[in-house]
Amino acid sequence: MDAINFTSAARIRVLLVPVGPIKKATFERHVKLLRQHNSVNLEEVWMGPRTENSFFSSNVPPDAQLYFNFATSYNPEYHYLEEFQLHRRIFGVIGIMDCQEWQEGNIASGHQQFQQILAKHPSVVANQCFAFDPSEQQPDDLRGGGVIMIPNVGNTSSYLRVLICDMARTILTEFENIAAAIGKRQDIESPNPANIIPKYGVSSPMSAQENGIKPLTAPPSAMTTSGTSNHTRTMSSAPGVTSSMGGSQYVQSTVVTDQKLRKRTAARAQKLYGDLYLMAGRLSEAVSSYQGVIEVTRSNSDFLWHANAMEGLYCAVVLLAYEKADLTQLASTPLSPTNNEFSRTPGSPAIKPLIMDIPEKYQTLLTLYNRVPGNGTPPILYVEANMKVTKFLATCFVCGGGILDDRALAAVVSGNMFMHWDGSEGQQPQQLMSRSSSVTISNHGITRTDIMNWVNRTWAGRLDELWVVDQIHFTTSIASILGAIQFRRKQSLYLRYALRMMAPLLHQTRLAQAAIVQASSKTSKKPTTDHGVLEILTQICNVFGVGDNFASNNSFYLDHGWPELQIDVLYECIRIAEAIPDYKAMMNFSTILLRQLHAFLSRDDQAGLYASLPRILAAAKKANVPDLTDIHYWTKTLIEDIEICPPSARKQPFTRSKDTLKSIIPEPRQVAKPGGEVDPFIYNPFHRKADNKTRLDLVAGEKAYFVVTLTNPHAIDLEVQEIRLSTSGVEFEAIPTSTMIPAQTTVTIKVAGIPKHPGQLVIRGCMVQILHCAEQEFFVNNSRTATPTETTNKNVAAPTGEAIVRFKKRGMEGFTTRKSKEEVVVEPKFDTVPVIPIQPLMKISSTSLQQGSVMLFEGEKTTIRLVLENIGSTPVDFITLTFSDSTSQLVIGNNYSSVVSSNGAELSAEDAYETELFLKKLHVFSWSREVECHIPVGGTREVKVEVLGKRGCAQGMIQIDYAYLNRKKEADGEDPVKEGTAETVEESSTFVTRQLFSQVLMTVYKTVECLNLDILYLQSHGRRGSKTISKRLSSNFAKVDNRQSVEQLLSRVRGDAVLPGEQIEAAISRRVALGTKNEYCLLTLDVRNVWTVPVEVSVLVDDSEDGEGLDASKLIKSMTVIQPGNTQRIILPVRRMVLSTAQLMAPIPKLSNKQFVVSRAGPANASAEEQALERSLFWFREELLKRVVARWACKDASGRFGKFNLRTLRLTKPMLNVLKIEDISFLVTMEATPAMRQAEREQPKRRLEQIGSNRWRCPVEQFAQIRFTVVNRSHKDVKLCLRMQPVQVHGDGTMEYNLGSRMVWHGVLQAPLPKVTNNNHHYHNNNKQDFFFSCVHLQKEL
């Protein structure tokens, strides 16, 4: 029991000593068992028959308790205070033996050892020796006063309680003897270390000198922190000491005291009576005695005894409150156990008001201690009084939340402020129990500030006048109190003070031990480790953020202190560990200083710490300490990252889905999979972005390289003797290497290894061995491919079985601790790399290109031959080629409106279509895909690739992907070539390929270029038109047989004979002049030869009505040779076209998948007519380009030829009007009437004859019929009205409308027509118009 316990004055001190050989753990277990009975009820203690001196056994109060202080140590330096404070005296000794260590059964020798221990404590009045766990052969010597056997069966606790009650009876009987001796005293002096005379008799017949007790001296000034204590303490027996067998008594001094001392003696004796009552459990008598003493000592200025009586009074008051007693209900009690007179203490106060005044009264008490003349108060009394009230307030704060409730009161009595705290994280000490029957110390309860004020009062008091050992004891007690109220930093501060006091003592102790060992000429043993000091050092380091609980790769430890303070703390820890000495602790603190605070150490400091490590290792080896190389001084982030080094492009494997084989390998049946919802947006910001990083797989049996990033933040170089990969999973042969990491540098090295088998390879980190240190594994959690663990630190794995957690929230609530292995199990996550089976390896052994380049004309095609050779150990049964060129890599834009021309203007939809068609759809490379392919090991295969000359293409890349698919069939002994490869698609969803690349440099030149395009509408009107056409084509008419029709001329063109464009133009024009219906238009094209050799241009026109071009007999061909630098116009007949309404309403297509964005011009600015015109121009142009194809050929020895691109030509609105057949057209025909046919038979010259387009020669004075045909090609129905107007056109171009005297007609000239549906026609023949033509002689009219 601690001396600073508030109820220590009420406890009977019993010393527990080990007897004989006994293990420390066994002794502590039995001590714990005995301390469970540190309080017994007085009713359980049988005192025997009552005598006239039975002052402490008669009239036992109900629920009275007898409290024990089972101590395991005794400090004889304060023996002189045992007369002043009787609770400091040892009244009993209990010896503890372990029968398991006495197998020979010689218990008597153990009893002799116990008697020797008793001889050192002459004040002992009761003793017992307990032997635990006896065997059947070891007898019980209870009656003889020897060793008492405590069996390990049955109710051992009840048996021990009976024995303790028996010892209590003996001690209470001795109390009566002590009280009787006190009553005979004539003077009682205050304790004085300089003049101590033992005044008590002892029950033992031997005196102090006879028992071999040596005089004790007070500590010299050198052993105090203040250096001001000059007391000399001696303990010796006075000349008049006598002893009697009847019991102990005070010995009278021969020195005659003065009158003042005699006046104070009665009150002092009464105070000693109160101490005996208090220890005897008679609290009411103790309170009465103390109150009387307080009144008397206040009047005679006996400050020391006054203050100590107040301490006893408040100890009794607290115990009464704990036993639920009330002073107002107490009976009258005797003031002295030596007389029969009773007196009442008037106005006895209640208990609770007294408890409320404890802090205030203790301030008065301390003032009284300070008022003792000559500073005569022993420093231990002053310090203990401060510590008692400090611990009292801390207990109320921890257990009662700032108030003194039932639990807090129980904790105050027991002296254990954590008796109701289970130590759980979520439970705060101030929130442990309800507030039933609580006593509030102040208006707002006890706060941490109140406790800290008392701590400062204790520290600033007379603590420096104590022995160093006592100073350490009280300093650590202060630290414990501060830790209980969660003042971690202040707790660490006082622990540092305690360690500074310990350091000289530890050093002197080690020197003394070394001297003893040297004198005895014995070999040095392994030094004992002071685990208590090391635990304090560890706790201080954790509080200031430099313990093992803090990771070195983050700045969290800086939240617990500034670097200068942390460095100072670690240096102190190194000095303390050196004084113990503990080489492991020295190494640990030195490495922590290097590992966590290297950034704040100078280069010389780091070099000094680094140089000290070999010396510590050498000293530890000399002292037979186990190897300490497992401690490291580098940061835990020595390995920052591990990346797979990508292999060369020729060896890198690519995993692909076998769905890509469906376009290559024919499958007999395709099962349509149900499709999910399709996102209408090309880019959706709310969708998770796909990881487009290339997956890097390792190949079994091939060497793989890893890039390891090493960092050295220290100011010293790190020599890595060996580093290799640490893996798990498949078998992996790691190839070690070595390196040097310069100071404050990050380096990258390549580490190699060979996976042996396919599977999953787990990359844990690296095994690193640094100079003078053992090999250590560094874990690396890579966030690129691995799932990080649910810890605050990703790069450093927690130690096995432990995890850093937090259990507070503010201030020092960031303090960290470690959970046990049973509470948290951490499974770190590492990178997992797939290891695929052995893959084939090929190379391009030869190519048909010279220096990898080719020169082509635009539109020309050539063939490249590549020879592939299998240089691996696995055959190849799958090859596919993909291509890219410089034009296909041009960026068009992500949306429609981003396509702009060179001048910055936005392109139209048609121009954008042409740009995309040229860049994306006009492929430079192509090849004939082969379904089945097999290249054995060491075999070759030739691949042919066609290359097209494309304008602007400067280079291209041929990518060859190859793989081995039929592994299973080959393993079964089947031929992979004979079996259909379609069956292998279902075996696995993926396959692995490797790639070969062949770069092709290209130069593309132009041969011919198209300059102008025009479309002419051929139609003849009257004689003027005929003359114009005849004049323009006079040279061509001479070459054409006028008797041949247009169909005959075109048939000649479609055959082997080829007519010039002029002849075709003349034939069509003549057909128009002859009045044949015009179905053609004339296409003119200017072509220029930009090359240095003559070029023949051939143009093919599809003359079919539907434009399909399937019948070769209906292809029109025109061939023209153009000399270098010349321009030639090519004229071609093209049938006029008509497109369906659905085709014309279709929008201009987009060849690339682009996000729709409103154009900068805005859709509102383009009218519906403009949009319809734009679509018409586009679709008619597409139809025209389907019917017209141009080719070129060089007329030299090279014989090179190619396709002539006509897509650069554009249609205009006038061209569209010519090319397009009208939506609504009229066809007029004249038919002879029956009378006219009769006249024709009679007069053949007078017949109806067509002489031109819509022109007829009719006989006069005869009726003729006119038939109208209306054709509707528009997308909607039309309602028309037919109106006819006879007009005579004269030669000068004038028209005459009044023909009543020259023409007669039968019927109406204006008639409505029925509705004409779309894509249909109507014949108007219901109402026949009969016209009668006559000729009038002009001379008669004149």
Side-chain angles (χ1 to χ4, degrees):
M1 183 64 61
D2 197 352
I4 64 175
N5 184 14
F6 197 82
T7 60
S8 60
R11 298 186 177 273
I12 301 173
R13 179 177 291 187
V14 177
L15 184 64
L16 305 180
V17 295
V19 178
I22 185 173
K23 296 179 180 179
K24 182 179 179 180
T26 305
F27 176 74
E28 292 178 351
R29 177 167 53 87
H30 297 323
V31 168
K32 184 178 180 180
L33 182 63
L34 288 173
R35 283 178 176 173
Q36 295 178 0
H37 308 283
N38 56 4
S39 64
V40 296
N41 198 316
L42 279 177
E43 295 179 351
E44 301 179 19
V45 181
W46 183 78
M47 298 300 299
R50 185 179 182 276
T51 62
E52 59 180 3
N53 294 330
S54 300
F55 305 110
F56 299 98
S57 59
S58 61
N59 299 328
V60 177
D63 299 331
Q65 298 285 329
L66 195 65
Y67 299 95
F68 288 94
N69 178 10
F70 291 111
T72 56
S73 62
Y74 171 67
N75 186 7
E77 299 299 332
Y78 299 107
H79 180 71
Y80 66 94
L81 293 176
E82 293 181 0
E83 179 185 354
F84 178 65
Q85 293 177 325
L86 296 181
H87 67 275
R88 294 182 179 273
R89 177 180 174 181
I90 296 179
F91 290 95
V93 175
I94 297 178
I96 298 178
M97 298 177 60
D98 186 11
C99 294
Q100 301 297 326
E101 302 292 336
W102 298 81
Q103 297 295 334
E104 297 179 358
N106 191 10
I107 304 298
S109 60
H111 185 263
Q112 293 178 2
Q113 293 183 15
F114 180 66
Q115 293 298 326
Q116 295 175 2
I117 295 173
L118 291 178
K120 301 178 182 179
H121 304 283
S123 63
V124 175
V125 297
N127 63 85
Q128 291 179 346
C129 185
F130 297 155
F132 291 88
D133 301 331
S135 61
E136 296 180 357
Q137 293 78 17
Q138 295 171 336
D140 192 350
D141 196 13
L142 178 60
R143 295 182 179 180
V147 179
I148 302 174
M149 300 298 176
I150 308 297
N152 53 2
V153 294
N155 195 347
T156 306
S157 178
S158 300
Y159 185 44
L160 288 176
R161 192 172 185 85
V162 171
L163 296 176
I164 292 173
C165 290
D166 184 66
M167 176 179 283
R169 179 182 60 81
T170 305
I171 294 174
L172 290 178
T173 302
E174 185 64 23
F175 279 1
E176 297 175 353
N177 298 332
I178 295 175
I182 292 174
K184 297 177 182 180
R185 287 293 303 255
Q186 296 182 0
D187 60 333
I188 300 176
E189 296 182 356
S190 297
N192 186 2
N195 185 20
I196 299 300
I197 300 177
K199 304 294 180 68
Y200 305 140
V202 294
S203 58
S204 175
M206 297 181 296
S207 64
Q209 292 182 351
E210 291 173 354
N211 290 326
I213 298 179
K214 298 179 180 180
L216 299 178
T217 59
S221 60
M223 294 300 294
T224 61
T225 57
S226 63
T228 59
S229 176
N230 295 319
H231 302 292
T232 57
R233 307 176 185 179
T234 59
M235 292 290 294
S236 61
S237 300
V241 174
T242 60
S243 60
S244 63
M245 298 300 293
S248 300
Q249 61 182 0
Y250 277 92
V251 182
Q252 299 289 337
S253 175
T254 58
V255 181
V256 180
T257 59
D258 54 4
Q259 189 67 24
K260 186 175 181 181
L261 180 60
R262 291 181 180 273
K263 184 178 179 180
R264 297 178 175 178
T265 299
R268 294 180 178 181
Q270 191 67 29
K271 184 264 176 188
L272 296 177
Y273 294 151
D275 291 346
L276 292 175
Y277 281 127
L278 186 60
M279 289 188 295
R282 308 179 71 88
L283 302 179
S284 58
E285 291 88 342
V287 171
S288 300
S289 298
Y290 286 138
Q291 288 179 345
V293 172
I294 291 172
E295 294 296 332
V296 176
T297 53
R298 183 185 295 113
S299 60
N300 56 24
S301 301
D302 196 355
F303 303 114
L304 182 62
W305 292 79
H306 182 191
N308 194 256
M310 292 179 64
E311 286 193 68
L313 172 64
Y314 284 98
C315 176
V317 168
V318 169
L319 291 175
L320 284 171
Y322 177 68
E323 297 176 3
K324 305 295 192 231
D326 196 345
L327 290 178
T328 59
Q329 304 296 330
L330 296 177
S332 298
T333 56
L335 289 176
S336 172
T338 59
N339 55 41
N340 296 326
E341 298 179 359
F342 292 85
S343 62
R344 292 181 179 271
T345 303
S348 298
I351 296 176
K352 290 184 178 180
L354 290 175
I355 295 178
M356 293 171 57
D357 295 337
I358 286 179
E360 182 181 354
K361 293 300 181 181
Y362 259 82
Q363 293 181 4
T364 305
L365 184 150
L366 294 173
T367 303
L368 293 175
Y369 276 142
N370 288 329
R371 293 178 63 184
V372 175
N375 199 16
T377 302
I380 188 67
L381 299 180
Y382 187 86
V383 175
E384 283 183 353
N386 280 285
M387 290 298 299
K388 285 181 180 179
V389 68
T390 302
K391 188 174 181 180
F392 173 78
L393 296 177
T395 305
C396 295
F397 177 82
V398 173
C399 297
I403 56 178
L404 186 64
D405 56 4
D406 293 342
R407 290 194 173 186
L409 189 60
V412 170
V413 173
S414 66
N416 183 11
M417 65 178 67
F418 297 111
M419 64 178 299
H420 301 294
W421 185 25
D422 58 358
S424 60
E425 296 180 13
Q427 184 184 22
Q428 295 296 331
Q430 60 268 27
Q431 300 174 350
L432 297 176
M433 71 291 292
S434 61
R435 305 295 184 258
S436 59
S437 303
S438 61
V439 178
T440 304
I441 304 301
S442 62
N443 294 333
H444 303 287
I446 298 174
T447 62
R448 290 185 175 95
T449 305
D450 299 331
I451 301 173
M452 197 62 207
N453 290 335
W454 278 97
V455 170
N456 294 333
R457 188 192 300 270
T458 304
W459 184 256
R462 304 177 63 183
L463 186 63
D464 55 350
E465 299 179 17
L466 300 177
W467 280 53
V468 175
V469 176
D470 295 325
Q471 293 183 34
I472 295 172
H473 168 68
F474 287 112
T475 304
T476 53
S477 299
I478 291 174
S480 300
I481 292 173
L482 294 176
I485 63 175
Q486 308 301 311
F487 275 5
R488 299 286 185 179
R489 290 190 178 93
K490 290 184 175 61
Q491 178 190 18
S492 300
L493 174 64
Y494 284 94
L495 289 178
R496 291 179 64 192
Y497 287 146
L499 290 176
R500 290 180 181 178
M501 300 173 191
M502 294 179 190
L505 299 180
L506 294 173
H507 185 65
Q508 293 177 9
T509 303
R510 300 307 175 190
L511 291 178
Q513 292 179 353
I516 294 174
V517 171
Q518 185 177 5
S520 60
S521 300
K522 295 181 179 180
T523 58
S524 176
K525 297 182 179 180
K526 178 181 177 180
T528 58
T529 302
D530 194 338
H531 295 285
V533 176
L534 296 180
E535 290 178 0
I536 293 175
L537 295 176
T538 303
Q539 180 180 353
I540 292 174
C541 292
N542 289 334
V543 169
F544 288 105
V546 288
D548 293 334
N549 293 347
F550 297 88
S552 61
N553 64 329
N554 54 35
S555 60
F556 179 66
Y557 62 92
L558 294 179
D559 298 337
H560 295 255
W562 53 95
E564 291 78 6
L565 174 63
Q566 295 171 337
I567 293 173
D568 189 20
V569 168
L570 285 175
Y571 272 120
E572 287 185 6
C573 294
I574 294 174
R575 288 192 291 267
I576 296 297
E578 186 178 3
I580 292 178
D582 190 300
Y583 300 109
K584 185 174 182 179
M586 293 169 61
M587 180 70 74
N588 184 33
F589 295 127
S590 299
T591 54
I592 290 176
L593 188 57
L594 273 174
R595 184 170 60 251
Q596 296 189 8
L597 296 171
H598 54 84
F600 306 98
L601 293 174
S602 63
R603 187 180 184 89
D604 295 338
D605 293 339
Q606 294 189 41
L609 289 171
Y610 178 71
S612 66
L613 299 181
R615 293 196 298 268
I616 296 174
L617 293 175
K621 185 177 181 180
K622 185 178 181 181
N624 296 326
V625 177
D627 189 14
L628 301 180
T629 56
D630 56 339
I631 299 177
H632 60 279
Y633 57 87
W634 50 85
T635 61
K636 293 184 179 180
T637 56
L638 180 66
I639 307 297
E640 284 191 349
D641 193 14
I642 298 178
E643 297 181 4
I644 303 176
C645 183
S648 61
R650 189 168 61 114
K651 292 186 176 182
Q652 183 173 354
F654 295 91
T655 302
R656 305 180 185 276
S657 174
K658 283 195 173 180
D659 293 338
T660 59
L661 296 176
K662 295 179 181 180
S663 60
I664 306 172
I665 303 175
E667 296 185 3
R669 297 181 62 183
Q670 292 287 343
V671 180
K673 297 182 179 180
E677 296 182 358
V678 179
D679 191 353
F681 299 99
I682 298 174
Y683 171 74
N684 193 337
F686 300 101
H687 284 182
R688 182 177 297 176
K689 295 179 175 61
D691 188 8
N692 295 325
K693 295 182 179 179
T694 304
R695 174 180 169 182
L696 297 178
D697 296 339
L698 305 183
V699 181
E702 295 186 7
K703 183 182 292 186
Y705 291 91
F706 299 81
V707 178
V708 181
T709 303
L710 305 172
T711 181
N712 179 18
H714 303 283
I716 54 178
D717 297 342
L718 292 181
E719 182 179 351
V720 180
Q721 290 184 329
E722 182 177 305
I723 179 173
R724 68 179 188 275
L725 285 180
S726 173
T727 62
S728 61
V730 300
E731 183 182 355
F732 185 81
E733 180 184 352
I735 302 176
T737 185
S738 61
T739 185
M740 174 71 73
I741 312 177
Q744 298 177 348
T745 305
T746 299
V747 298
T748 57
I749 62 173
K750 280 188 177 182
V751 180
I754 302 175
K756 296 298 184 179
H757 306 287
Q760 295 293 327
L761 179 67
V762 180
I763 302 176
R764 298 167 54 88
C766 287
M767 300 295 295
V768 181
Q769 183 177 5
I770 296 182
L771 185 64
H772 303 306
C773 298
E775 190 177 55
Q776 182 182 355
E777 183 178 11
F778 289 86
F779 297 136
V780 175
N781 286 350
N782 199 330
S783 60
R784 290 186 301 273
T785 57
T787 303
T789 56
E790 296 181 358
T791 57
T792 56
N793 183 11
K794 296 181 180 179
N795 293 337
V796 182
T800 304
E802 297 183 345
I804 299 177
V805 295
R806 292 191 177 191
F807 68 90
K808 297 180 70 178
K809 296 181 180 179
R810 63 177 178 84
M812 266 305 294
E813 295 172 357
F815 180 72
T816 58
T817 186
R818 291 185 182 271
K819 284 188 175 181
S820 62
K821 183 177 181 180
E822 291 75 15
E823 296 176 355
V824 173
V825 178
V826 176
E827 296 181 358
K829 301 291 184 181
F830 303 105
D831 282 359
T832 301
V833 181
V835 180
I836 59 178
I838 299 176
Q839 298 297 317
L841 186 62
M842 299 181 65
K843 72 174 183 178
I844 301 176
S845 60
S846 63
T847 178
S848 61
L849 294 177
Q850 295 182 359
Q851 299 180 356
S853 61
V854 62
M855 191 278 288
L856 296 174
F857 292 115
E858 183 179 358
E860 182 185 5
K861 281 189 177 183
T862 187
T863 301
I864 298 177
R865 292 176 176 82
L866 302 175
V867 178
L868 307 180
E869 181 180 358
N870 188 353
I871 61 174
S873 59
T874 305
V876 176
D877 58 2
F878 171 79
I879 291 179
T880 183
L881 274 66
T882 55
F883 312 98
S884 63
D885 58 85
S886 58
T887 58
S888 62
Q889 303 300 325
L890 297 178
V891 179
I892 300 177
N894 190 41
N895 53 73
Y896 183 81
S897 62
S898 64
V899 182
V900 295
S901 61
S902 58
N903 57 3
E906 183 178 341
L907 294 179
S908 63
E910 184 179 4
D911 294 337
Y913 172 82
E914 291 297 329
T915 303
E916 294 174 356
L917 182 65
F918 176 77
L919 295 180
K920 299 297 183 182
K921 300 301 179 180
L922 185 59
H923 301 294
V924 177
F925 299 96
S926 61
W927 75 298
S928 178
R929 191 180 303 274
E930 299 177 1
V931 176
E932 294 184 358
C933 174
H934 180 72
I935 305 177
V937 178
T940 59
R941 189 180 188 89
E942 184 180 80
V943 178
K944 297 180 180 180
V945 179
E946 292 185 352
V947 185
L948 173 65
K950 183 178 179 181
R951 182 178 68 254
C953 183
Q955 62 179 355
M957 182 68 69
I958 302 175
Q959 175 181 322
I960 305 172
D961 292 81
Y962 60 93
Y964 182 43
L965 301 180
N966 299 324
R967 297 178 181 271
K968 182 177 180 181
K969 293 186 177 182
E970 187 181 61
D972 296 339
E974 299 180 8
D975 188 0
V977 180
K978 295 180 181 180
E979 299 292 334
T981 57
E983 298 179 1
T984 63
V985 179
E986 300 297 332
E987 296 176 0
S988 176
S989 60
T990 61
F991 67 101
V992 180
T993 65
R994 278 181 168 173
Q995 296 178 351
L996 290 175
F997 297 92
S998 177
Q999 188 176 13
V1000 179
L1001 301 179
M1002 301 179 62
T1003 304
V1004 180
Y1005 295 98
K1006 275 188 177 183
T1007 54
V1008 292
E1009 63 178 359
C1010 182
L1011 299 180
N1012 299 313
L1013 172 67
D1014 196 5
I1015 299 177
L1016 304 177
Y1017 179 63
L1018 300 179
Q1019 184 174 4
S1020 176
H1021 297 280
R1023 299 178 181 177
R1024 184 182 301 270
S1026 299
K1027 293 180 180 180
T1028 303
I1029 296 176
S1030 300
K1031 183 178 180 181
R1032 191 176 72 176
L1033 301 179
S1034 59
S1035 59
N1036 297 327
F1037 271 114
K1039 303 176 183 179
V1040 181
D1041 187 358
N1042 295 334
R1043 293 173 298 177
Q1044 291 181 345
S1045 63
V1046 177
E1047 286 74 9
Q1048 293 176 345
L1049 293 175
L1050 291 179
S1051 63
R1052 293 180 57 191
V1053 178
R1054 297 187 188 108
D1056 296 335
V1058 179
L1059 296 179
E1062 295 84 353
Q1063 296 184 13
I1064 298 175
E1065 180 183 5
I1068 295 176
S1069 300
R1070 190 190 61 166
R1071 180 179 183 183
V1072 174
L1074 294 177
T1076 308
K1077 177 176 168 33
N1078 186 10
E1079 300 177 357
Y1080 291 86
C1081 60
L1082 202 61
L1083 184 145
T1084 63
L1085 185 65
D1086 293 339
V1087 180
R1088 183 173 62 182
N1089 184 358
V1090 297
W1091 194 236
T1092 59
V1093 298
V1095 176
E1096 181 185 53
V1097 177
S1098 301
V1099 182
L1100 298 177
V1101 179
D1102 183 9
D1103 193 42
S1104 61
E1105 295 183 0
D1106 53 3
E1108 294 295 334
L1110 299 178
D1111 190 0
S1113 63
K1114 293 186 177 182
L1115 292 178
I1116 299 176
K1117 183 177 181 182
S1118 176
M1119 300 178 60
T1120 303
V1121 178
I1122 306 175
Q1123 296 300 322
N1126 291 349
T1127 302
Q1128 184 73 33
R1129 172 166 292 184
I1130 300 176
I1131 302 175
L1132 297 171
V1134 178
R1135 283 184 181 271
R1136 298 180 66 194
M1137 307 173 189
V1138 59
L1139 299 180
S1140 63
T1141 303
Q1143 189 174 1
L1144 292 177
M1145 293 298 295
I1148 299 176
K1150 300 175 183 177
L1151 300 180
S1152 60
N1153 192 14
K1154 299 177 182 178
Q1155 184 72 41
F1156 175 76
V1157 178
V1158 178
S1159 62
R1160 287 176 285 183
N1165 296 332
S1167 62
E1169 291 76 7
E1170 293 177 350
Q1171 296 178 8
L1173 176 61
E1174 185 179 13
R1175 292 194 301 269
S1176 299
L1177 291 173
F1178 175 80
W1179 291 115
F1180 274 96
R1181 177 175 172 270
E1182 289 297 312
E1183 185 67 21
L1184 178 62
L1185 292 177
K1186 287 181 181 179
R1187 301 190 178 195
V1188 179
V1189 179
R1191 299 182 180 277
W1192 59 266
C1194 293
K1195 305 298 290 183
D1196 59 355
S1198 65
R1200 307 176 76 162
F1201 60 92
K1203 187 177 180 180
F1204 184 20
N1205 188 10
L1206 299 177
R1207 299 199 67 90
T1208 57
L1209 304 176
R1210 294 292 186 269
L1211 288 181
T1212 61
K1213 186 177 180 180
M1215 296 181 189
L1216 177 63
N1217 295 333
V1218 176
L1219 183 63
K1220 176 183 178 183
I1221 299 177
E1222 295 83 358
D1223 293 339
I1224 299 175
S1225 60
F1226 295 89
L1227 298 179
V1228 182
T1229 60
M1230 296 190 69
E1231 299 177 356
T1233 62
M1236 184 177 294
R1237 294 193 189 96
Q1238 183 65 29
E1240 289 180 1
R1241 287 193 294 268
E1242 297 176 355
Q1243 298 180 5
K1245 294 183 178 180
R1246 297 187 63 183
R1247 59 185 179 86
L1248 181 63
E1249 181 182 3
Q1250 184 178 1
I1251 60 174
S1253 177
N1254 295 334
R1255 299 176 64 207
W1256 282 266
R1257 180 182 295 110
C1258 300
V1260 297
E1261 298 178 356
Q1262 295 287 337
F1263 282 97
Q1265 293 181 352
I1266 300 178
R1267 182 188 296 270
F1268 293 92
T1269 303
V1270 181
V1271 180
N1272 181 14
R1273 298 184 181 88
S1274 62
H1275 63 281
K1276 59 184 178 179
D1277 301 343
V1278 294
K1279 182 71 174 178
L1280 303 176
C1281 180
L1282 180 61
R1283 180 180 299 171
M1284 295 173 289
Q1285 176 66 45
V1287 178
Q1288 182 178 3
V1289 181
H1290 298 280
D1292 56 357
T1294 60
M1295 291 182 295
E1296 183 179 356
Y1297 296 91
N1298 187 8
L1299 301 179
S1301 60
R1302 277 166 281 183
M1303 179 177 292
V1304 179
W1305 56 85
H1306 175 71
V1308 295
L1309 298 179
Q1310 181 174 345
L1313 300 179
K1315 181 185 296 185
V1316 184
T1317 59
N1318 59 337
N1319 295 326
N1320 205 344
H1321 61 275
H1322 173 71
Y1323 297 99
H1324 182 67
N1325 55 5
N1326 293 331
N1327 298 324
K1328 297 181 180 179
Q1329 302 295 330
D1330 295 334
F1331 290 87
F1332 178 78
F1333 299 91
S1334 63
C1335 181
V1336 179
H1337 198 278
L1338 297 180
Q1339 188 176 1
K1340 292 182 178 180
E1341 293 182 358
L1342 297 174

